[in-house]
Amino acid sequence: GADNSTHVAFGGEQLVYARRNAGGETWRAEEVDSGGVGAYCSVACDNAGRPYISYYDATNEDLKIARWDDLTARWEMGVVDAAGDVGRCSSLGFDGDWNPAISYHDATLGDLKYAAWSGSGWEIATVDGGAWVGEHSSLAFDGASRPRISYFDAVSRDVKFAWWDGACWTAAVVDRSARVIHGTSLDLNGSGAAVMAYCDAAGDALRVAGGAGGDWNVEVVAAYPWAGRYSSLAFDASNRAAVSYYDPRQGDLNLARWMDDRWEVETVDSNADTGRYTSLVFDGSGFPCIGYYEVSRGNLEYARWDGAAWLLEVVD
């Protein structure tokens, strides 16, 4: 958040939001929506620090959004797209004018779609149409407020990247014959180049790809079966990439950091079977913070580096 507070959303049967204020020691969790909702959720805060959550309503097969209203002190919810079975694999972001936008999968048509708030309504576009594209999407904006999306093409088994040039959407292949498991994660570095992390199950590797258009450099961060599942990529204050991910060999939460000439990997949490569905950010002090799921006890957990050690907390 703008005040360095921490925000987490999760769901499946219920959409739940948890927040901890900067410097606070306890988490406050509350139900936002219920009735078979909350899967594939994505949370982000606007410039006033108000949280927004995009999510899938499995009961009605709709893409929905929830936002916190300061005036009414309650959550306001609305349907973004209800045309068919839509809303899985959503990724939420804000453009340069702080209007929300969402990339997501249309399971009826098999397309990658993009919804942007115009100020008065949602404008919906098909980014890539095919037999089955758009799963595992991740949305980011460049310095000119143009959207960029990483995603998976399940038919060709390619990792792809789409961008809006101001007039139309263009899609390019990043990595061929991969098999993406549990998401791509996209961010832009300080130079505006797109960088994404993903698990290539076909090649047994966690990969990071960087570039633009048709020119991509793909690196292997870790190599073993199912390496890099549930990965999340972000840049630190020095513009170096970091990736949180699940190590299925030991059931651990790992963090890989680029150290100018190599990737260094450390174990963040090795308690039982932990580290799935990771989400990585850097706080105002430049320290990494990771939200993730612990399978053994069914907990949502949070790890943060305090400059000397990893502090592990139970959120819910």
Side-chain angles (χ1 to χ4, degrees), residues 128-140:
D128 193 351
W132 200 262
V133 299
E135 290 184 305
H136 310 298
S137 76
S138 182
L139 170 67

Side-chain angles (χ1 to χ4, degrees), residues 73-275:
R74 66 181 184 183
W75 289 95
E76 302 289 344
M77 291 159 286
V79 174
V80 177
D81 190 353
D85 185 353
V86 293
R88 305 183 194 203
C89 306
S90 79
S91 181
L92 170 68
F94 291 93
D95 66 18
D97 294 321
W98 291 100
N99 293 313
I102 309 167
S103 64
Y104 59 101
H105 178 59
D106 182 333
T108 298
L109 300 176
D111 297 342
L112 170 65
K113 287 192 171 181
Y114 174 79
W117 180 254
S118 67
S120 58
W122 290 98
E123 296 181 351
I124 297 173
T126 297
V127 177
D128 193 351
W132 200 262
V133 299
E135 290 184 305
H136 310 298
S137 76
S138 182
L139 170 67
F141 286 89
D142 68 8
S145 194
R146 295 171 298 197
R148 277 81 177 96
I149 306 172
S150 62
Y151 60 102
F152 181 56
D153 184 330
V155 176
S156 63
R157 298 179 65 179
D158 296 335
V159 179
K160 301 181 75 174
F161 175 75
W163 67 97
W164 175 257
D165 64 6
C168 65
W169 286 97
T170 303
V173 174
V174 175
D175 194 353
R176 296 188 182 278
S177 300
R179 182 185 169 206
V180 173
I181 298 296
H182 301 299
T184 65
S185 181
L186 173 70
D187 201 357
L188 305 184
N189 65 17
S191 302
V195 181
M196 67 186 74
Y198 54 94
C199 169
D200 176 6
D204 291 335
L206 166 62
R207 299 182 186 273
V208 170
D215 185 17
W216 292 89
N217 177 52
V218 181
E219 295 185 354
V220 174
V221 178
Y224 47 83
W226 305 97
R229 293 174 70 187
Y230 311 104
S231 60
S232 179
L233 181 143
F235 286 92
D236 64 16
S238 300
N239 199 35
R240 293 180 297 191
V243 184
S244 60
Y245 65 97
Y246 174 65
D247 182 344
R249 299 171 303 174
Q250 305 295 328
D252 293 344
L253 170 66
N254 285 353
L255 179 69
R257 302 191 68 169
W258 178 250
M259 304 305 292
D260 297 326
D261 60 352
R262 67 193 184 282
W263 288 96
E264 289 190 357
V265 178
E266 64 177 310
T267 298
V268 176
D269 190 350
S270 59
N271 295 319
D273 187 357
T274 192

